[in-house]
Structures are given as C-alpha cells and as structure tokens.
Amino acid sequence: MFQTRLLSKSQVQSLITMSEVLDAVEKTFKGMGDGTVINPTKVNLDLGETASYPPYGGFMNAMPAYIGWLDTAGIKWAGGFFERKKHGLGYITSLILLIDPKMGNFKAVMDGAHITNLRTGAQSAIALKYLHPDKNIRIGLYGAGMQGHTQTMAISQIFNIEKLCVYDISPDAARKYAEDMKNVVQGEIVIAKDPKEPADADAIICVTQSKDKFLKNEWIKPGTIVFPMGSYQECDDDFILSADKIIVDHVGQCLHRGALKELCEEGKISERNIFATIGEIVAGKKEIKRNKNERILCIPIGTGAMDIAVATIVFQKAESKGIGGTYEFE
Ligand SMILES: NC(=O)c1ccc[n+]([C@@H]2O[C@H](COP(=O)([O-])OP(=O)(O)OC[C@H]3O[C@@H](n4cnc5c(N)ncnc54)[C@H](O)[C@@H]3O)[C@@H](O)[C@H]2O)c1
C-alpha cells in the first residue's frame, strides 16, 4: 500500500523559500522550452466568473503537468473567488496533488496557495532576467495585493530595484504594501496617486482583477517590458496590437485567458503574433536581442508545471524532515 503525505499551508510555508522557487521556475521554463516538461492547456470551470450561472463570481482551473528534470507529475486545482475577499481571506484558493509518474500512486496532497503566490512572482522575475540584462531596474506595479507582494520579493532577489512605483485602487492596500515591502525593495517605494505614474518604468507589472484595460498605450514608453498577469485584460487593445514582441509562457493558455483572450476571440491576435515562449528563450532556442526602443509584452499567465515542480521540492524536503501526516491511499 502506498502512503500519501498531507501538508498544510503552514507546513508548506516552512519548507520552501523564494530563492528555491526561482531556481525551480527557471529549470521548469527550460524544460518547457526543450520539451521535457509536459503542460497541457488548463481546463477552466466557470463558477460565475464570466458566466451568468452559477452565481458565485469565481472560477477553478485544473492544471496538470509532468516535469522531466524532477521526474514528477501532478495537478493543481486553483481558482479565484471575490466572496473570500469580503471575509478578509486571500482571493486565490489552491490544492496540489502529486503522483508517481510510473505507478500513478498519489505521493502528496498539499495546500497550493503559497506555492501559487511564490511561483507567480518568480515567473516574471525569471523572464526579466533574460529580457532585462541590466542589474538595476525601475518597476511600475499595478495591484498591491498578494501577487504584488510576491512579484516584488522575487524581482528584488535578482535585481537591484532602484525605484518601485505602485498604484492600487485601494489606497489602504498600497500603503500596506509600501510598509510590508520597505525592507525588500532596495530603492524607494512611491505610492502613485495618478494611475499613469507607474508606467514610467523599465518593467510594468499588472497583478489586479481588473477588466477595465486601465493601462493605456500612450503611457508606455519605448524600451518598456509590460507584464499583464491578471486573469483578465489590464492593458488596452492598442498596446497589445502595437507591441514589438509578444512573449508568453504557454501559447494555448495565453490565447484563451488573460490579456490576449478578447483579441484572440475577435481574430486580431493568434499564435502567429507570438514571438517566443519564455521557455524557448531560457532554453536558448530563441535568441532575444533587445532593441532598446522595443516595447515588449510578456505574459506569464501561469502554468501547472511551475506548481508541480515547486510542490515536488516541498514534498522531497517534507519526506526528508518527516513533516506532515501520511495516510494510505491506493
Ligand atoms: N499569472 C499568474 O500566474 C497568476 C497567478 C495568481 C494570480 N493571478 C492573478 O493576479 C491577480 C491578482 O491576484 P491577487 O492574489 O494578488 O489578488 P489580491 O486581491 O490580493 O490583489 C489584487 C489587488 O489589485 C487591486 N486592483 C484591482 N483593480 C485595480 C486596478 N484597476 N488598478 C490598480 N489596482 C487594482 C485590488 O485593490 C487589490 O489590492 C488576479 O487576477 C489573479 O487571478 C495570476
């Protein structure tokens, strides 16, 4: 009989650091680029996120993956629910299930929210490592919530953040973020009053639930890299259609969710408009020679592969330290 390890959120938190996540995310991007990571397009269950029925305003995604460099497989079941925010809870919920890829037995079940948050930060930080060769960076951040925090934590481990300008529709969220991140960001943190202000940056990161296309084409200067990472469209159509290069983490997923979804449905954007995947760049299959005036649109919409890789490292450490309960489950 096989043993399945069960790990709570606090146990997961105690078992993984952002620097381990950055390493795992980079190796997994490489695997996506060289074909040793298998990541089918996520399946979306609409619980009223866009559909009129059922009326819960949320969604869940099923995100399976196989990771060659760890010889592991699993699935993340993750979603976002506005109702939780009314109760002071995080927007994202998530559970990760790991299997043995040969026998199919269930190796672990663990809370996935912390892993999701860390790997979401690490995805853009690793993409930036390849797209922005300078060590110094100025960041414009829209959305001072959970993902805003982990984006900052990850980028600050690779770059010297000279300045970070943050805008949030909730001034309280922006103030809390600035307080939380004051010892993480190397340079100054500026709270923007005008949503145009953060756009004056080397990299703009959007991690909001906005559907308003608030980031305007005319705000974005030559040479900027824009990461619209929210689940809906945060930048306007003109920017998407005029960006010099579009880079994504997963072609199928990015055409059906997030920034490109609407334009894809209208037939204005397709696979042909995508210059490269992040994986192809990390694996050295596509070279990115930056012209300093190019405006780049980079969309790490989030893949199960990152979650399964990080969860496997958490599982391996839990096994070696004897952390978490086990139960029999064939
Ligand atoms: N790409 C990925 O891999 C990935 C992973 C996890 C979450 N997400 C997405 O990231 C987004 C944020 O998630 P979170 O967990 O940080 O949520 P959160 O609720 O903790 O934070 C979101 C913040 O955005 C702010 N906001 C909303 N609309 C805004 C606007 N127009 N301008 C500026 N700020 C605005 C909110 O006030 C809030 O403070 C969601 O869309 C979520 O689905 C993406």
Side-chain angles (χ1 to χ4, degrees):
M1 193 61 79
F2 297 109
Q3 295 291 319
T4 302
R5 192 164 287 274
L6 188 61
L7 294 167
S8 69
K9 183 171 184 179
S10 60
Q11 287 166 336
V12 172
Q13 278 169 335
S14 74
L15 286 165
I16 195 85
T17 64
M18 181 57 96
S19 89
E20 290 168 315
V21 175
L22 283 162
D23 181 58
V25 164
E26 187 165 14
K27 287 178 177 147
T28 305
F29 270 136
K30 183 170 178 291
M32 290 174 82
D34 67 23
T36 56
V37 166
I38 315 292
N39 191 112
T41 298
K42 60 178 100 166
V43 174
N44 174 256
L45 174 65
D46 192 334
L47 295 168
E49 175 193 28
T50 57
S52 55
Y53 177 86
Y56 300 122
F59 69 93
M60 285 301 276
N61 288 329
M63 303 162 69
Y66 169 78
I67 314 299
W69 67 274
L70 287 165
D71 193 25
T72 185
I75 187 166
K76 182 173 83 158
W77 178 232
F81 295 83
F82 283 108
E83 189 65 26
R84 294 172 58 82
K85 301 226 50 151
K86 294 182 199 157
H87 300 276
L89 298 165
Y91 172 65
I92 297 286
T93 70
S94 159
L95 196 73
I96 297 173
L97 182 61
L98 296 180
I99 62 155
D100 177 314
K102 189 172 179 193
M103 297 292 284
N105 55 296
F106 299 95
K107 293 194 300 190
V109 176
M110 69 184 79
D111 182 276
H114 185 61
I115 291 175
T116 301
N117 298 335
L118 292 186
R119 69 77 156 138
T120 302
Q123 290 171 163
S124 36
I126 294 297
L128 269 174
K129 183 176 161 182
Y130 288 81
L131 298 175
H132 182 79
D134 192 346
K135 184 87 183 146
N136 297 321
I137 196 161
R138 293 171 309 130
I139 299 286
L141 177 67
Y142 293 89
M146 179 55 78
Q147 311 312 323
H149 282 69
T150 54
Q151 294 292 315
T152 312
M153 286 158 56
I155 294 168
S156 70
Q157 293 213 1
I158 296 181
F159 293 94
N160 172 41
I161 304 178
E162 293 176 318
K163 180 182 171 187
L164 189 145
C165 185
V166 58
Y167 177 79
D168 197 295
I169 48 169
S170 157
D172 283 349
R175 275 192 292 272
K176 180 177 184 309
Y177 166 90
E179 181 59 27
D180 293 346
M181 292 293 112
K182 68 178 184 215
N183 296 324
V184 174
V185 172
Q186 295 86 349
E188 60 169 342
I189 299 178
V190 176
I191 299 177
K193 290 197 174 61
D194 182 336
K196 189 177 170 185
E197 281 175 59
D200 182 15
D202 300 313
I204 299 170
I205 297 182
C206 305
V207 271
T208 78
Q209 300 97 345
S210 177
K211 298 175 179 169
D212 293 344
K213 307 183 184 181
F214 60 81
L215 185 64
K216 305 295 174 210
N217 184 36
E218 60 269 23
W219 300 351
I220 303 164
K221 297 191 169 141
T224 311
I225 308 163
V226 179
F227 292 84
M229 313 240 329
S231 292
Y232 314 103
Q233 193 175 331
E234 296 161 300
C235 47
D236 71 9
D237 293 358
D238 289 345
F239 173 62
I240 295 175
L241 294 169
S242 64
D244 294 290
K245 285 190 172 80
I246 301 180
I247 296 165
V248 301
D249 57 350
H250 189 290
V251 175
Q253 236 156 255
C254 283
L255 292 177
H256 297 108
R257 194 158 177 82
L260 302 183
K261 178 178 190 277
E262 204 177 293
L263 288 168
C264 177
E265 283 167 0
E266 289 169 7
K268 292 180 183 160
I269 286 275
S270 73
E271 195 167 347
R272 286 196 307 280
N273 301 95
I274 294 175
F275 169 76
T277 63
I278 301 169
E280 286 168 335
I281 293 171
V282 174
K285 284 191 160 181
K286 281 257 172 80
E287 202 184 347
I288 176 122
K289 284 198 188 121
R290 278 294 305 277
N291 162 341
K292 66 180 174 37
N293 288 324
E294 268 179 347
R295 298 190 309 169
I296 293 188
L297 172 59
C298 183
I299 313 174
I301 197 71
T303 53
M306 301 302 164
D307 301 297
I308 302 310
V310 176
T312 299
I313 290 162
V314 168
F315 167 69
Q316 288 170 346
K317 290 176 81 178
E319 289 266 282
S320 72
K321 293 182 176 189
I323 292 177
T326 58
Y327 63 99
E328 286 183 3
F329 196 67
E330 194 172 318

